[in-house]
Amino acid sequence: MHGPGEIRVTVFPNDRAAARALAKRIAGHVSAKPSLVLGLPTGRTPVRLYQELVWLVERGQLDLSRIRTFNLDEFLGIARDHPGSYRRFMEDHLFKPAGISDEQVEFLNGAAADSAAECERYEEAIAAAGGIDVQILGIGTNGHIGFNEPARELQARTHRVRLKPETRRSNAALFGSDPNAVPGEALSMGMATILQARSIVLLASGKSKAGCIARVVNGPIATRLPASFLQLHHDVEVVLDEAAASKL
Ligand code: PGA
């Protein structure tokens, strides 16, 4: 544990080594607490991490049958089985191959008729689970975590958010490579929801994240760089490959 303002940084030679080390660390958390409550991200970055977790499960080195999961965010207006949904992404990359059942999974429902009620339900579900033990995060090149986009003000709690053009572009692959097909809005955990996790690990790789990572770790805290608020947490680790660490 470190004091606020000190983000631990661990650098690996490449993204595969970073993912493998993080998967082993998660396995350690799960063996210490089989009913671990795990917060999970989507995106390109965690794909390798999920492959490594599945690999450990397949070899009998990790038992995920008692964990609970909460994902950070979901697009608005699409159902869980839509091919572009984050729920579908998680089913394909982790839940199905790792044998994580529906009963273990909490997810924001982007198709809920009342999005405000859905956000409130999610906050209550996190509280009822006893809070998130370990929250894994990716980071957008604009510094977003979850879908907490750079803004003059940030939302504390799970909320409905309008996505930035760059965020829609970077999610285009899920929607036939057409940024205009990416929903314009989403539901996301808020900054306080994320910062209340007992322990946080941010995973980033590649040169495109280097500038942003340097500002997150060493720069001032700013709502224009939502991830910089991680400096206020007492147990944050940033796990990087060499490219993402190149501007530190
Ligand atoms: P990426 O997305 O892993 O696809 O770069 C990260 C994010 O936007 O949080």
Side-chain angles (χ1 to χ4, degrees):
M1 224 188 256
H2 287 223
E6 294 172 65
I7 290 185
R8 273 172 293 149
V9 178
T10 311
V11 183
F12 292 89
N14 54 56
D15 60 345
R16 164 154 248 140
R20 188 165 297 167
L22 181 50
K24 288 217 177 104
R25 205 140 346 135
I26 291 170
H29 284 294
V30 175
S31 84
K33 183 181 178 186
S35 61
L36 193 79
V37 181
L38 196 54
L40 295 171
T42 48
R44 281 172 296 273
T45 314
V47 170
R48 275 195 190 282
L49 169 66
Y50 297 153
Q51 284 168 352
E52 295 293 336
L53 288 173
V54 169
W55 193 90
L56 291 173
V57 169
E58 284 171 348
R59 271 147 200 81
Q61 293 171 25
L62 174 61
D63 176 5
L64 294 177
S65 63
R66 289 181 56 202
I67 67 162
R68 299 280 310 278
T69 73
F70 286 87
N71 263 80
L72 284 164
D73 43 20
E74 179 60 286
F75 295 109
L76 192 75
I78 60 173
R80 60 178 277 178
D81 56 356
H82 186 287
S85 75
Y86 277 168
R87 176 63 186 259
R88 179 72 172 268
F89 175 96
M90 291 303 300
E91 293 290 345
D92 292 347
H93 289 277
L94 182 67
F95 298 157
K96 274 195 211 128
I100 295 171
S101 69
D102 263 11
E103 294 68 50
Q104 297 175 261
V105 173
E106 279 287 352
F107 225 97
L108 280 158
N109 175 10
D114 181 343
S115 56
E118 175 60 9
C119 292
E120 213 167 295
R121 180 197 69 80
Y122 207 59
E123 288 285 336
E124 284 165 8
I126 293 170
I132 292 170
D133 291 310
V134 180
Q135 175 69 55
I136 313 295
L137 298 174
I139 185 168
T141 49
N142 67 8
H144 73 205
I145 47 176
F147 275 141
N148 294 281
E149 297 276 41
R152 210 153 44 81
E153 294 180 331
L154 299 175
Q155 298 299 314
R157 292 292 161 195
T158 302
H159 60 287
R160 180 169 168 170
V161 60
R162 180 156 292 283
L163 300 177
K164 298 268 186 199
E166 62 265 29
T167 300
R168 294 178 75 194
R169 273 197 300 277
S170 71
N171 279 279
L174 294 170
F175 293 86
S177 300
D178 176 9
N180 294 317
V182 179
E185 290 180 276
L187 303 178
S188 176
M189 284 188 196
M191 294 298 295
T193 323
I194 292 170
L195 288 167
Q196 276 176 358
R198 289 179 189 91
S199 170
I200 298 177
V201 183
L202 187 149
L203 179 64
S205 60
K207 225 170 52 188
S208 68
K209 304 283 170 77
C212 173
I213 288 293
R215 290 193 296 139
V216 165
V217 173
N218 295 320
I221 294 163
T223 61
R224 295 284 173 197
L225 189 69
S228 62
F229 278 74
L230 294 174
Q231 291 181 28
L232 298 173
H233 197 278
H234 60 83
D235 186 5
V236 178
E237 179 171 14
V238 172
V239 174
L240 305 172
D241 69 354
E242 274 174 7
S246 59
K247 292 194 174 159
L248 282 173

